[in-house]
Amino acid sequence: MPGAVSRRAVETPLRRIAGDFASDAIAMAGLALLCAIIAAALLAPFISPQNPYDLSQLDVMEGRLPPGSPAPHGVYWLGTDDQGRDMLSAILYGLRISLGVGVVATGFALVIGLVMGLTAASMGGRMEALIMRVVDIQLSFPAILIALILLAVLGQGTGKIVLALVTVQWAYYARTVRSAALVEQRKEYMEAARGLGLRPARIVFRHLLPNCLPPMIVVATVQVASAIALEATLSFLGLGLPITEPSLGLLIANGYQYLLSGKYWISFFPGIALVCTILSINLVADQLRDVLNPRLQR
Amino acid sequence: MLAFIIRRSLQSVAVLVAMSLLVFVGVYAVGNPIDILINPQADQIEREHAIAALGLDRSLPEQYLSFVTGAAHGDLGRSFVHSTPALSLILERMPATMELALAAMVIAIVLGIPLGLWAGLKPRSIAGRAIMAGSILGFSLPTFWVGLMLIMVFSVMLGWLPSSGRGPTVDLFGVIPVSFLSLEGWRHLALPAINLALFKLALLIRLTRAGAREALLQDYVKFARAKGLTNARIIGVHVLRNILIPIVTVIGLELGSVIAFAIVTESVFAWPGMGKLLIDSIGLLDRPVIVAYLLIIVTLFIIINLVVDILYSALDPRVRVTESKG
Amino acid sequence: MSVPLLEVEGLRTHFFTKAGVVKAVDDVSFTVSKGEVLGLVGESGSGKTMIGYSIMGLIDPPGRIVSGRIVLGGRDLRALSPEALRQLRGNRIAMIFQDPMMTLNPVLRIDVQMVETILAHESLPRAAAMERSRAALVRVGIPSPDERLSAYPHQFSGGMRQRVAIAIALLNNPDLIIADEPTTALDVTIQGQILYEMQKLTRETGAAMIWVTHDLAVVAGLADRVCVMYAGRIVEEGTVADVIERPVHPYTQGLLDSVPSRTARGVRLKPIQGMAPSLADLPLGCAFRDRCGRSIDACLGAPETRMVGDLSRGRAVRCHNPLPPVAVLE
């Protein structure tokens, strides 16, 4: 019996979540793929065959070579683009940019959404009505339309696309946080915390915030994927990142004109990298949603 | 019901006015169209002529005021580039976008609801799992890249279908040019429509599946079985009628998003719709066209939301009653 | 004794879950004669509802009828094809559920839900089916039936909805009605009305009924015979008078002792100690052993069903150490 008790004590929420998460093979495969992609992006300067943006290493004569062509450094496994750039290297560097933009934008949006949502939930009244009204109106328009308007207004640039992504996303977090916070506020431990005379800030940060986290984690995971997809789409349309910051979307756009002449690899492989990134994040998010949802716990 | 519609319509007008102001201020504060539109070799007098002709010398509030009075008369300004009224420029392109969006929506509905139903009724079967896996994939594939791959496979490699344009159009009712009335038009419509449908298809599959699984657990399904109804009737009437309510709502709301997303598909397939016009106009800083496009799409959205709300209350008897009481 | 309408013999319905096999119904046998009302009494989770679903053929995976026979009017229901079983459901056997707020489809009109029940079993002109539906509503005491037919469920109160559900069950004049706690979710006054109506209707139509409930008081006023269930098994069976006045199983005795009664004011209630065991993890031997004041060594072995007292009265008990049939008669 004491053995049973101590075993129970070791069963922390984190361990339970990790255990539940690991119970699905497809989700684990998604997680493994995601880890591999992140590692590849972080290590790009060390593992890619060439620095795709060091012009001295490029040779236009080597342009548009199909996958498997011999290269000075070995083999162009995924072919080259029109400027003779090794596609594998370009993709690894592109992943860095795509992931970076997605994560940074999600981070900012998360913070802004959290602050707005918690403000709405804890202040109530007019402030809440105002914030939620803006959220509602914004969410009734598709993200891509809002991002396009902003970029049409602001012009191009890395900072501007991050701003556009943040503007598109904060509303999702604000809504999620507010509804989670409203549910939490009605629970008894919140009454108890207030009854103990804790300062409001302490209540919000020590009690409300941790309990809003599970739904936020799920939303944030999904939103990183959609931020990456949206950035790629905008870059493809020529409204996203500048040519000096070639994300995966830009690489794909770059290969568009050669696609019709059968030189598929310039668009195809960056696309595969993009799909794998988004897919792996979505698989992880799907499983997280199930694991973190108390209603679905068996 | 009438009071409800009037209240909702007033709300919609308020949103429209707010959006027009935001859009106008935003777009008219962008860059400097003078540099783009006027020949750099032009002398000072020519420049001033052009600026006056385009109304660019006036203050922003003045420009907005003239814009609003114009808009009230159906005049959203003239395109800097095409020198034609922006409104008619967009309306000319609208049938192409609408045809594409509706075709995509029809594909998504016709395939999505039955597939989602199947996956919901038999979640553990191989087909059920395959449908779900496909829908996760559908969510993860960026529309523009799928478009490129469709072109690569069906146009370049197999040579079955054209990769761009709308093909010959036939006038429906003598006024609306459409592609779907001719075989050649169908061939042009096929790839863009499939491309645009994919994401919504994935969405509808998930939605229908979740709805079906939820409905199957309800007592009224068990009671329907206890009444000795056939499976076809239970699924086709009892289950479907219940999940149709959220589905119709989402389909309505997604119609707007499909029109917005057509921007991407139109760019990939050079489909001559409003979305491609918008991208071209953004590139050329053709502000009247951008503003007109945004106002038209906002109006479209507001109308769609309104129609969905009304449809929703027509479908769900519970909502209908509370509304008529209120 | 006449040939029974329904004969259930050795029925076992098990659920194969991740946590183990849940023996919801475990070796259950009973009969119901024509026009008879059988009360099936047990705590929640004792498997009584699953008996109803087993007869109806409504057990869903991971549940399955493992063994046993269910014979209705000479036909073994377990041997029937799904289609033949469907034709019996809602036609020869009808079922009424616990929560009337959930059983009617919220988005279909009452007439649709009634007419489809008739048309699922016979081809009839719509107008005739409509007329029969109208008559059924009248029969269960629903005022202005024409108006009610074209209404939606949410326009009815809970009691009215349960009347509609009863009217639907009666539409095809079934031989057997399985009523699964149909009054539990209702107010006490409505409960009384519904009980009265059901009694009257079964008498009028000659339908037999299985009334599933956790409430011995309800059964006392309604049923002819009672089966008491504990942990998926029938532990005592007999006429209402016998079981309620002279219980022989310690569990039945415990149930009766934990009900406050008017006649024994001031007498201390004696609730049954402990909790009902999990059906997934039943103790060996008698499942009631740990909570029983009369348990003996023999209770470590599973008790068999034994007839007690006068054979013609159909008294049976499943206990190694039953109370003497006269225990309460002092």
Side-chain angles (χ1 to χ4, degrees), chain A residues 121-190:
Chain A
S122 54
M123 287 179 70
R126 286 208 169 164
M127 193 61 177
E128 180 174 27
L130 179 70
I131 293 175
M132 294 328 288
R133 192 89 198 119
V134 173
V135 167
D136 281 346
I137 291 178
Q138 197 187 317
L139 289 183
S140 70
F141 292 94
I144 189 162
L145 198 62
I146 294 172
L148 270 177
I149 298 173
L150 277 171
L151 291 173
V153 169
L154 301 172
Q156 284 187 13
T158 313
K160 284 163 185 162
I161 196 156
V162 170
L163 181 66
L165 292 176
V166 171
T167 312
V168 164
Q169 296 201 334
W170 75 274
Y172 292 96
Y173 299 106
R175 192 175 59 177
T176 312
V177 172
R178 174 175 165 268
S179 54
L182 284 185
V183 172
E184 288 303 324
Q185 269 181 332
R186 286 194 205 100
K187 289 193 182 159
E188 279 175 28
Y189 77 93
M190 288 298 300

Side-chain angles (χ1 to χ4, degrees), chain C residues 101-235:
Chain C
M101 307 310 266
M102 311 296 289
T103 45
L104 298 174
N105 193 322
V107 298
L108 297 178
R109 289 190 345 193
I110 298 299
D111 55 356
V112 174
Q113 301 193 48
M114 295 191 84
V115 166
E116 68 179 2
T117 313
I118 300 171
L119 297 183
H121 300 289
E122 54 191 297
S123 42
L124 208 68
R126 254 195 81 83
M130 200 69 162
E131 184 45 45
R132 204 205 281 176
S133 305
R134 206 189 88 91
L137 287 185
V138 172
R139 194 152 63 165
V140 296
I142 288 181
S144 51
D146 290 309
E147 206 176 297
R148 290 317 207 164
L149 273 174
S150 55
Y152 285 92
H154 64 89
Q155 294 164 306
F156 290 69
S157 68
M160 278 297 173
R161 285 194 213 188
Q162 199 60 293
R163 281 170 199 263
V164 172
I166 293 167
I168 291 176
L170 292 172
L171 273 175
N172 295 321
N173 289 317
D175 302 323
L176 175 67
I177 300 170
I178 301 170
D180 182 12
E181 306 212 42
T183 58
T184 312
L186 304 175
D187 287 344
V188 182
T189 47
I190 310 288
Q191 201 172 334
Q193 289 173 17
I194 299 270
L195 279 175
Y196 170 74
E197 298 276 355
M198 285 304 287
Q199 207 166 19
K200 193 176 70 139
L201 289 167
T202 46
R203 224 166 269 151
E204 279 170 18
T205 59
M209 183 156 73
I210 299 176
W211 190 281
V212 178
T213 181
H214 64 270
D215 191 347
L216 268 172
V218 166
V219 161
L222 183 76
D224 302 314
R225 279 189 312 122
V226 187
C227 290
V228 178
M229 283 199 75
Y230 185 76
R233 294 180 169 180
I234 292 176
V235 293

Side-chain angles (χ1 to χ4, degrees), chain B residues 116-121 207-217 239 243:
Chain B
L117 214 49
W118 192 352
L121 296 176
L207 199 69
T208 313
R209 175 179 180 270
R213 295 195 67 180
E214 180 87 24
L216 283 179
L217 295 176
V239 171
I243 57 180

Side-chain angles (χ1 to χ4, degrees), chain B residues 42-234:
Chain B
D43 60 32
Q44 192 60 28
I45 297 164
E46 273 181 275
R47 279 177 70 94
E48 272 164 21
H49 258 290
I51 289 170
L54 296 172
L56 297 172
D57 52 346
R58 287 178 287 165
S59 69
L60 276 183
E62 272 181 291
Q63 288 190 38
Y64 179 66
L65 205 66
S66 78
F67 169 75
V68 169
T69 27
H73 297 98
D75 175 12
L76 295 175
R78 295 178 85 82
S79 161
F80 294 163
V81 178
H82 301 267
S83 304
T84 47
L87 187 63
S88 60
L89 198 62
I90 289 168
L91 292 182
E92 252 169 47
R93 308 285 194 100
M94 199 188 250
T97 298
M98 287 299 175
E99 183 178 22
L100 180 60
L102 288 176
M105 218 55 204
V106 168
I107 292 173
I109 293 168
V110 167
L111 292 179
I113 294 180
L115 286 176
L117 214 49
W118 192 352
L121 296 176
K122 300 201 180 305
R124 307 211 169 273
S125 67
I126 292 172
R129 284 164 188 270
I131 291 168
M132 271 320 277
S135 92
I136 292 184
L137 198 63
F139 263 120
S140 304
L141 294 171
T143 303
F144 72 95
W145 187 72
V146 173
L148 294 187
M149 292 303 110
L150 288 174
I151 291 177
M152 185 180 100
V153 173
F154 293 100
S155 304
V156 179
M157 289 178 167
L158 298 173
W160 289 352
L161 294 165
S163 67
S164 72
R166 218 188 153 185
T169 55
V170 178
D171 283 354
L172 186 64
F173 310 128
V175 275
I176 307 165
V178 291
S179 297
F180 75 92
L181 289 178
S182 70
L183 182 66
E184 194 50 33
W186 269 107
R187 285 170 32 87
H188 280 83
L189 183 59
L191 289 183
I194 291 170
N195 181 218
L196 190 55
L198 218 56
F199 196 82
K200 299 302 161 198
L201 177 62
L203 182 77
L204 273 183
I205 286 176
R206 294 198 132 201
L207 199 69
T208 313
R209 175 179 180 270
R213 295 195 67 180
E214 180 87 24
L216 283 179
L217 295 176
Q218 300 295 316
D219 274 0
Y220 62 75
V221 169
K222 201 116 191 171
F223 189 58
R225 288 167 68 196
K227 294 198 296 188
L229 303 187
T230 56
N231 274 335
R233 170 123 194 137
I234 293 170

Side-chain angles (χ1 to χ4, degrees), chain A residues 137 140-142 144-145 148-149 152-153 232-233 236-237 239 252 256 259-260 262 264 267-268 271-272 274-275 278-279 282-283 286 289, chain B residues 19 26-27 30 136-137 140-142 144-145 148-149 151-152 156 163 206 257 260-261 263-264 267-268 278-279 282 293-294 297-298 301:
Chain A
I137 291 178
S140 70
F141 292 94
I144 189 162
L145 198 62
L148 270 177
I149 298 173
V153 169
T233 304
F236 173 79
L237 290 174
L239 295 167
I252 296 169
Y256 181 26
L259 195 71
L260 292 176
Y264 67 92
S267 281
F268 180 74
I272 292 289
L274 183 62
V275 170
I278 299 170
L279 183 65
N282 280 344
L283 286 175
D286 247 28
R289 196 197 327 262
Chain B
M19 290 301 281
V27 173
V30 181
I136 292 184
L137 198 63
S140 304
L141 294 171
F144 72 95
W145 187 72
L148 294 187
M149 292 303 110
I151 291 177
M152 185 180 100
V156 179
S163 67
R206 294 198 132 201
S257 131
F261 257 94
I263 295 170
V264 179
S267 299
V268 173
L278 174 72
I279 294 295
I282 290 176
Y293 172 88
L294 293 175
I297 207 136
V298 167
F301 264 77

